[in-house]
Amino acid sequence: MTTPPAIKSVLRSSLMQWGHRGLRLWWRLRKPTTFGVKALLIHPDDAGRCLVVRHSYVDQDRWGLPGGGYNPKRETAQEAAVREVAEELALTIHQPPTVLHALTTELEGKVDNLTIVTARPTAAEFTLNAELIEARWVGIDLSDLPPGAPISRWLKLARSAVVGEEGTADGHREDRGDQDQRRRDEDSEQTGHGSERQPGGNR
């Protein structure tokens, strides 16, 4: 008996969610040093639009950026971004991505060295792999997203860097209420990739 594609998709998503939960537990126990990259893709024909995605394995309602983990002994962050975009969206990038931010987070118990880049693919048409449940081109101001939709702080940070805004990831300077909301976001949001540990790094 052949399993319907819709059921296969649900099963794959469930397995990936459980796998990511297992990784998060391992990260909290072992506290490894990892490396990850996220890419803000600009539409090839419209600099005012960017690609946003929702992942199948973590924070499914949150709009964010494509990307994943990498081993710095095998590739650079820019090379990893090109590879991840090809794997997740079947999009090709010819020009080297531009680094927007390089930062360190400890959101999931691990010490994660995260690089955020921007790049422009050669075409706009994409194909999703199992890691994504949705992707869409939206205005760089993100106003095309549904009202109240949760948005990744990394997407906000990348967007602010591209449009030249100063201040926080939301593009404005924080008051006390902003700071409290940011802390809540940091507690709930995941970096969203299973990066490889640095050889010889923190375990």
Side-chain angles (χ1 to χ4, degrees):
M1 179 178 179
T2 303
T3 304
I7 295 179
K8 287 183 178 180
S9 178
V10 171
L11 290 174
R12 278 198 304 266
S13 178
S14 297
L15 287 173
M16 293 181 73
Q17 289 180 55
W18 281 106
H20 190 73
R21 289 172 185 169
L23 273 177
R24 287 167 59 190
L25 177 61
W26 184 82
W27 290 332
R28 293 188 183 280
L29 292 174
R30 300 298 297 274
K31 302 186 184 304
T33 293
T34 60
F35 293 83
V37 64
K38 293 185 178 294
L40 178 69
L41 300 179
I42 304 301
H43 195 286
D45 302 316
D46 185 351
R49 301 185 70 77
C50 65
L51 190 69
V52 297
V53 304
R54 291 193 298 122
H55 289 89
S56 62
Y57 56 90
V58 64
D59 289 337
Q60 291 186 340
D61 294 330
R62 189 180 300 271
W63 290 97
L65 299 170
Y70 72 98
N71 187 329
K73 287 194 171 183
R74 298 175 185 169
E75 58 186 346
T76 66
Q78 291 96 321
E79 291 169 340
V82 172
R83 173 180 54 77
E84 288 287 343
V85 167
E87 291 175 356
E88 294 184 8
L89 295 153
L91 289 173
T92 300
I93 297 172
H94 285 164
Q95 297 298 320
T98 299
V99 174
L100 299 175
H101 290 282
L103 48 100
T104 299
T105 77
E106 297 183 12
L107 295 182
E108 296 176 300
K110 56 179 177 170
V111 179
D112 191 26
N113 298 280
L114 178 64
T115 301
I116 302 175
V117 305
T118 185
R120 181 169 291 187
T122 58
E125 185 175 351
F126 52 79
T127 301
L128 305 183
N129 77 352
E131 295 181 40
L132 302 177
I133 55 177
E134 187 176 359
R136 63 173 72 168
W137 293 103
V138 299
I140 196 70
D141 61 0
L142 307 182
S143 62
D144 295 336
L145 292 178
I151 299 173
S152 163
R153 65 188 302 243
W154 311 128
L155 170 54
K156 295 178 183 179
L157 189 64
R159 178 249 173 209
S160 295
V162 167
V163 301
E165 294 179 344
E166 296 181 352
T168 67
D170 294 309
H172 62 270
R173 300 196 180 279
E174 293 178 307
D175 57 23
R176 178 60 62 84
D178 292 328
Q179 292 171 355
D180 291 342
Q181 183 61 52
R182 177 172 56 81
R183 292 189 187 100
R184 289 193 291 271
D185 288 344
E186 289 175 354
D187 288 340
S188 64
E189 184 180 356
Q190 313 303 325
T191 52
H193 62 260
S195 318
E196 299 183 43
R197 70 177 182 274
Q198 176 187 15
N202 297 342
R203 300 295 297 273

